[in-house]
C-alpha cells in the first residue's frame, strides 16, 4: 500500500470511529478536510510553538501588529500564537472546546482566512456537545503530516482521494475537483517539453496559471516537472483560481506551507470574476469542468461579450457547456512574446455548433490566428466521474517554424493500462511508457498511423445555401424585379471545404441532382470543426486478409461457445 493510500485509509477509519452515527456521510468532508489542514499546519509550526507564544506575549501591547517580528524570528510566513496546538489541547479535556477556539483564533491572519472558508464552526460545536471533539483531535495527533514526511505531491493525492470518496457519498460528481495524476503528468509534459530553451538558463522567472486549480495539484506537478526535467534553479511563480471554498482552502494552505505565495490563489469563478484581471502568464494548464452550464453567469458573460475588448467578444458557446469560455479566458492572458496553454476538454469543443454559431466562431478565431498546435485524444475511462472520450488541446501563440499554419492530431485512445481496481468511473491509467510515446510522437511532428498533420484550412468550410425556385401550377414564380422566388420549404445547405471552388463544387455535386437549384451567395458563412474520429478513420491503414480472417474465426468461436452454454 502506498503512503497516500495508507494515510487516506487511516483518515477514513477516523470517520468510521468518530463521525458515524453523529453526522451523515455527505457531511464528513466538512469536518475531516479542515482537520487534515490543521494537523499539517501544526506539524510545520510545532518546533517554534513556545518561541512564537512568548514573542506574541512580549510584543502584543508594545506594537500594533507583532506579525512582522514573529515572522522574521521564525522565518515563516504563518504562525499560531496560542499556547495550544492539537497535541497540547489534549492536556485539558474538560476545556477542550474553549481551548480549541483559542487555538483557532491564534493563527496568523493569512491562515485564519483560509480556515474561515471551511465554515466548520457548527460541526465542531456538534462534536463537542456529543463528546467527540477530544476523540477526533486525539486521532489526528497520531499522524505526522510534516512536508518532510509527506511531500506536497503525496499530500495532494491524499486530499484528492478523500474528496473523491466524500463526493461519492454525497452523490455529487465524483472527482469534479481534480484531475487524475496520470493525465496531469501527460499534460505538463506536452506543455513544457517543447519549450525547454525558454525554461533553461540562470536567473529566469516563469509563471504558471490554472483558472480551475482545485487543490492545486496541476500547478505543483507542473513546477516539479520543470525542476526535475529541465532546470532545477528556475523560479516558477504559481497562480490559480478556484470556485469551491473547500478546495480553495486546501490549495491555499498547501501553497502557504510549501513557500509559495498564497495570495496568488483566488476564490471565485474565473468566468464572472477574473481574479487576475490584466495579468499575463507564460504557461497555463487546466481541466475545466466538462459540460457545466454557465446559465447562472449568463448576464455577466453576455455583457462582456458585447465589449470588443472583452474576453468573450468573438462569441459564446451554448449555455449548457462553458468549456470554451475557459479557453477564451486563458487566451486573454497570453503574453505577446509567447505563451503555451494545455487544456483538457471532452469532445464537444471540437465539433459542436454550426458555422456562425458561438462554438464555431471561437474555433475559427483560434485556428485563423494559428494558435492551435495539437490535439491529443486520450483513452476512455480515465476520469473518476465520466467514461467519455477526452482530449488535450495545446495552444501556442509563438509556434516553431515547422508548425506554423499546421495542426497536429494524435490518436492516443488505445494507450492505456487497466487498473487493478476501479476508482469510480476510472478503470485505466496512462503509464509512463505510454506518456513517453505520446510526447515523442508530438515532438517528432510526423504523419503516421498515430499522428496526422493538417493545414489549418483543412478544418474550415463554407456553408452555402441551396435554393430552388417556387412554383405555382407548374410555373416559376417571379418577384417584382423579375427574379425567381425561392421555395423555402426546399431550401438546403452544403458544406464546401475551404480551398475548393464553390461554383465548381456546386456544378459537380449539386446541380446534377437538382437541375433548377442555385446558390444564394449572400448567405455564405465560414465554419470550423475538428471531426477527430473521421480523420483517423479516413487515414487508418487497411487491415490484411489474415487479420480479418482471424477476427471472423474468433467471433465464430465466441458464438459457438455461447450456443453451447445455452444448450447446457
Amino acid at each position: 500500500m502506498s503512503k497516500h493510500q495508507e494515510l487516506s485509509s487511516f483518515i477514513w477509519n477516523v470517520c468510521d470511529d468518530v463521525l458515524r452515527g453523529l453526522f451523515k456521510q455527505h457531511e464528513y468532508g466538512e469536518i475531516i478536510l479542515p482537520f487534515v489542514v490543521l494537523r499539517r499546519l501544526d506539524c510545520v509550526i510545532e518546533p517554534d510553538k513556545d518561541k512564537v507564544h512568548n514573542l506574541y506575549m512580549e510584543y502584543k501591547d508594545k506594537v500594533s501588529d507583532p506579525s512582522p517580528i514573529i515572522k522574521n524570528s521564525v522565518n515563516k510566513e504563518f504562525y499560531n500564537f496560542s499556547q495550544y496546538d492539537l497535541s497540547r489541547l489534549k492536556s485539558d479535556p474538560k476545556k477542550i472546546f474553549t481551548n480549541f477556539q483559542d487555538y483557532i483564533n491564534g493563527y496568523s491572519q493569512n491562515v485564519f482566512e483560509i480556515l474561515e472558508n471551511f465554515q466548520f464552526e457548527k460541526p465542531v460545536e456538534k462534536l463537542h456537545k456529543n463528546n467527540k471533539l477530544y476523540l477526533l483531535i486525539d486521532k489526528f495527533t497520531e499522524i505526522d503530516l510534516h512536508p518532510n514526511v509527506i511531500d506536497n505531491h503525496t499530500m495532494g493525492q491524499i486530499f484528492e482521494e478523500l474528496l473523491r470518496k466524500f463526493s461519492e457519498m454525497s452523490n455529487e460528481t465524483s472527482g469534479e475537483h481534480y484531475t487524475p495524476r496520470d493525465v496531469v503528468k501527460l499534460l505538463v509534459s506536452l506543455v513544457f517539453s517543447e519549450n525547454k530553451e525558454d525554461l533553461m538558463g540562470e536567473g529566469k522567472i516563469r509563471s504558471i496559471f490554472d483558472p480551475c486549480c482545485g487543490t492545486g495539484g496541476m500547478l505543483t506537478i507542473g513546477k516539479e516537472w520543470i525542476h526535475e526535467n529541465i532546470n532545477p534553479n528556475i523560479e516558477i511563480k504559481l497562480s490559480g483560481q478556484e470556485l469551491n471554498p473547500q478546495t480553495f482552502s486546501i490549495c491555499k494552505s498547501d501553497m502557504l506551507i510549501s513557500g509559495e505565495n498564497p495570495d496568488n490563489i483566488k476564490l471565485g469563478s474565473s468566468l464572472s470574476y477574473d481574479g487576475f484581471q490584466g495579468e499575463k502568464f507564460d504557461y497555463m494548464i487546466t481541466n475545466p469542468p466538462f459540460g457545466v452550464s454557465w446559465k447562472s453567469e449568463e448576464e455577466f458573460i453576455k455583457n462582456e461579450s458585447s465589449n470588443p475588448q472583452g474576453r468573450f467578444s468573438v462569441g459564446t458557446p451554448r449555455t449548457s457547456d462553458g468549456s470554451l469560455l475557459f479557453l477564451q479566458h486563458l487566451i486573454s492572458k497570453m503574453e505577446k512574446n509567447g505563451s503555451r496553454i494545455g487544456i483538457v476538454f471532452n469532445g464537444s469543443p471540437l465539433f459542436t455548433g454550426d458555422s456562425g454559431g458561438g462554438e464555431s466562431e471561437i474555433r475559427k478565431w483560434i485556428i485563423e490566428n494559428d494558435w492551435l498546435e495539437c490535439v491529443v485524444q486520450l483513452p476512455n475511462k480515465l476520469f473518476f466521474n465520466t467514461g467519455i472520450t477526452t482530449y488535450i488541446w495545446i495552444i501556442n501563440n509563438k509556434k516553431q517554424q515547422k508548425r506554423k499554419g499546421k495542426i497536429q492530431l494524435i490518436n492516443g485512445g488505445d494507450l492505456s493500462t487497466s487498473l487493478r481496481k476501479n476508482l469510480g468511473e476510472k478503470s485505466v491509467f496512462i503509464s509512463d511508457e505510454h506518456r513517453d510515446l505520446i510526447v515523442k510522437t508530438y515532438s517528432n511532428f510526423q504523419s503516421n498511423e498515430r499522428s496526422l498533420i493538417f493545414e489549418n484550412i483543412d478544418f474550415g468550410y463554407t456553408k452555402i445555401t441551396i435554393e430552388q425556385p417556387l412554383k405555382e401550377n407548374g410555373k416559376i414564380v417571379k418577384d417584382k424585379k423579375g427574379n425567381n422566388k425561392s421555395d423555402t420549404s426546399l431550401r438546403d445547405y452544403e458544406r464546401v471545404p475551404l480551398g475548393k471552388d464553390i461554383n465548381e463544387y456546386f456544378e459537380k455535386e449539386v446541380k446534377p441532382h437538382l437541375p433548377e437549384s442555385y446558390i444564394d451567395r449572400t448567405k455564405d458563412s465560414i465554419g470550423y470543426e475538428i471531426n477527430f474520429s473521421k480523420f483517423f478513420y479516413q487515414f487508418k491503414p487497411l487491415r490484411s486478409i489474415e487479420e480479418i480472417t482471424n477476427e471472423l474465426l474468433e467471433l465464430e468461436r465466441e458464438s459457438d461457445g455461447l450456443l453451447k452454454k445455452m444448450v447446457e
Side-chain angles (χ1 to χ4, degrees):
M1 185 182 290
S2 66
K3 193 68 176 177
H4 90 268
Q5 289 173 325
E6 183 183 327
L7 281 167
S8 297
S9 178
F10 172 86
I11 294 169
W12 194 245
N13 288 335
V14 171
C15 294
D16 281 340
D17 294 343
V18 182
L19 306 183
R20 186 177 293 278
L22 182 59
F23 294 92
K24 296 176 181 178
Q25 286 190 327
H26 71 265
E27 297 174 321
Y28 287 1
E30 298 172 16
I31 303 144
I32 294 299
L33 294 172
F35 269 88
V36 174
V37 170
L38 286 172
R39 180 55 182 158
R40 189 157 168 83
L41 291 167
D42 257 11
C43 291
V44 174
I45 62 179
E46 194 277 331
D48 299 309
K49 185 66 187 169
D50 293 328
K51 183 178 182 180
V52 168
H53 176 68
N54 293 335
L55 281 169
Y56 179 78
M57 296 305 291
E58 180 182 351
Y59 287 99
K60 67 174 184 174
D61 296 324
K62 295 180 181 179
V63 296
S64 58
D65 181 13
S67 294
I69 297 171
I70 296 173
K71 289 179 181 179
N72 288 333
S73 179
V74 298
N75 196 29
K76 289 186 178 69
E77 286 300 313
F78 64 99
Y79 61 85
N80 186 314
F81 61 74
S82 167
Q83 61 182 309
Y84 300 105
D85 57 21
L86 291 179
S87 294
R88 297 183 186 192
L89 282 169
K90 296 191 298 182
S91 63
D92 192 353
K94 292 182 179 179
K95 293 184 179 180
I96 190 80
F97 182 65
T98 303
N99 293 341
F100 181 80
Q101 290 177 311
D102 179 82
Y103 159 66
I104 294 297
N105 292 329
Y107 270 109
S108 50
Q109 188 62 28
N110 49 7
V111 174
F112 191 78
E113 289 171 357
I114 291 170
L115 297 177
E116 273 188 318
N117 282 291
F118 280 116
Q119 298 180 343
F120 66 121
E121 296 87 351
K122 289 185 178 179
V124 167
E125 286 182 21
K126 189 172 182 179
L127 282 167
H128 171 61
K129 288 178 181 178
N130 289 273
N131 298 315
K132 293 292 182 74
L133 180 58
Y134 178 92
L135 181 58
L136 184 64
I137 290 170
D138 183 50
K139 290 286 185 182
F140 269 98
T141 55
E142 293 179 23
I143 52 174
D144 187 351
L145 298 182
H146 193 284
N148 292 341
V149 178
I150 307 296
D151 62 23
N152 285 350
H153 181 78
T154 305
M155 196 69 234
Q157 289 179 301
I158 292 168
F159 277 124
E160 290 164 3
E161 176 71 7
L162 292 172
L163 281 165
R164 185 183 66 80
K165 288 187 175 181
F166 293 145
S167 295
E168 286 175 349
M169 287 180 164
S170 59
N171 293 319
E172 291 179 2
T173 306
S174 174
E176 67 176 352
H177 304 306
Y178 65 103
T179 311
R181 293 293 165 116
D182 54 323
V183 179
V184 178
K185 287 178 181 178
L186 173 59
L187 178 67
V188 300
S189 299
L190 291 168
V191 170
F192 301 124
S193 63
E194 282 289 277
N195 232 33
K196 289 186 177 180
E197 285 188 13
D198 176 65
L199 296 164
M200 293 173 71
E202 296 295 323
K204 283 193 173 179
I205 302 173
R206 293 294 182 265
S207 56
I208 305 177
F209 173 60
D210 182 351
C212 314
C213 64
T215 58
M218 201 170 281
L219 291 170
T220 54
I221 291 174
K223 181 175 180 176
E224 287 170 5
W225 195 96
I226 294 170
H227 283 162
E228 291 172 6
N229 295 279
I230 300 179
N231 185 354
N233 300 315
I234 190 171
E235 183 179 346
I236 302 293
K237 292 186 175 181
L238 304 180
S239 299
Q241 187 158 341
E242 171 58 18
L243 175 63
N244 181 278
Q246 282 190 335
T247 43
F248 160 79
S249 296
I250 291 169
C251 180
K252 193 159 183 169
S253 64
D254 230 37
M255 291 292 168
L256 186 64
I257 289 167
S258 59
E260 302 292 341
N261 184 355
D263 291 337
N264 286 344
I265 306 298
K266 310 291 186 182
L267 178 64
S269 169
S270 292
L271 301 181
S272 56
Y273 165 66
D274 183 359
F276 299 88
Q277 195 163 7
E279 294 190 41
K280 308 291 183 181
F281 300 95
D282 301 303
Y283 299 92
M284 289 166 269
I285 47 180
T286 194
N287 173 26
F290 300 144
V292 170
S293 169
W294 50 278
K295 188 74 176 176
S296 62
E297 302 174 89
E298 183 175 8
E299 183 179 357
F300 181 94
I301 290 167
K302 289 291 188 183
N303 284 339
E304 183 167 345
S305 70
S306 64
N307 177 0
Q309 306 304 317
R311 295 170 294 171
F312 315 118
S313 60
V314 299
T316 56
R318 62 200 64 192
T319 55
S320 59
D321 187 356
S323 299
L324 282 168
L325 294 174
F326 286 100
L327 182 52
Q328 290 172 279
H329 174 60
L330 292 179
I331 289 173
S332 76
K333 299 194 171 300
M334 296 182 89
E335 294 275 8
K336 288 184 179 179
N337 294 329
S339 293
R340 288 173 65 79
I341 296 171
I343 188 167
V344 183
F345 279 147
N346 61 12
S348 178
L350 288 169
F351 52 77
T352 300
D354 203 352
S355 61
E359 291 92 347
S360 181
E361 287 298 295
I362 296 166
R363 287 191 294 268
K364 176 183 175 183
W365 173 61
I366 292 168
I367 293 173
E368 290 189 348
N369 276 287
D370 198 21
W371 293 330
L372 182 57
E373 183 167 287
C374 182
V375 178
V376 181
Q377 180 180 326
L378 302 179
N380 294 345
K381 301 289 186 178
L382 267 184
F383 286 79
F384 303 100
N385 60 327
T386 180
I388 62 173
T389 304
T390 51
Y391 301 82
I392 290 176
W393 289 31
I394 302 297
I395 306 290
N396 184 4
N397 65 345
K398 196 177 182 182
K399 289 184 178 181
Q400 297 177 32
Q401 187 61 40
K402 66 180 181 180
R403 292 185 180 271
K404 288 184 177 179
K406 294 180 172 62
I407 297 170
Q408 182 180 18
L409 304 184
I410 297 174
N411 181 9
D414 61 330
L415 300 179
S416 64
T417 304
S418 296
L419 287 168
R420 292 181 181 178
K421 182 181 178 182
N422 290 5
L423 296 172
E425 290 286 330
K426 184 176 176 65
S427 61
V428 301
F429 70 99
I430 300 171
S431 67
D432 292 348
E433 292 75 20
H434 287 149
R435 182 178 71 247
D436 292 343
L437 175 58
I438 292 172
V439 174
K440 185 178 179 181
T441 302
Y442 171 58
S443 299
N444 287 345
F445 193 60
Q446 295 175 350
S447 286
N448 52 53
E449 62 183 33
R450 190 171 295 284
S451 166
L452 300 176
I453 314 294
F454 294 97
E455 300 289 330
N456 289 347
I457 199 173
D458 293 334
F459 300 103
Y461 61 88
T462 303
K463 182 181 177 182
I464 59 172
T465 304
I466 309 297
E467 301 283 13
Q468 295 190 61
L470 177 66
K471 292 183 177 180
E472 291 181 359
N473 300 320
K475 293 183 178 181
I476 295 175
V477 179
K478 304 282 187 177
D479 63 18
K480 293 179 180 179
K481 294 182 179 180
N483 298 318
N484 292 348
K485 279 190 173 183
S486 59
D487 188 340
T488 56
S489 67
L490 299 176
R491 181 176 292 159
D492 203 357
Y493 304 92
E494 288 281 329
R495 288 184 174 188
V496 183
L498 293 183
K500 282 197 174 184
D501 185 280
I502 291 175
N503 291 324
E504 184 180 314
Y505 177 93
F506 173 73
E507 291 295 331
K508 183 179 179 181
E509 302 293 339
V510 180
K511 198 75 171 173
H513 308 288
L514 302 170
E516 295 182 315
S517 65
Y518 55 94
I519 312 172
D520 183 350
R521 295 299 303 272
T522 65
K523 294 186 175 72
D524 284 5
S525 61
I526 304 295
Y528 281 81
E529 70 173 25
I530 302 174
N531 193 328
F532 202 98
S533 300
K534 181 189 79 172
F535 285 119
F536 275 94
Y537 178 80
Q538 180 180 345
F539 287 94
K540 188 175 181 180
L542 292 174
R543 293 181 299 164
S544 67
I545 295 295
E546 184 181 359
E547 286 178 305
I548 295 171
T549 302
N550 289 336
E551 188 174 314
L552 289 171
L553 288 171
E554 181 62 31
L555 286 170
E556 188 178 340
R557 283 192 292 270
E558 288 179 4
S559 298
D560 289 344
L562 183 59
L563 285 169
K564 188 177 179 181
K565 285 184 179 179
M566 290 173 68
V567 171
E568 290 173 351

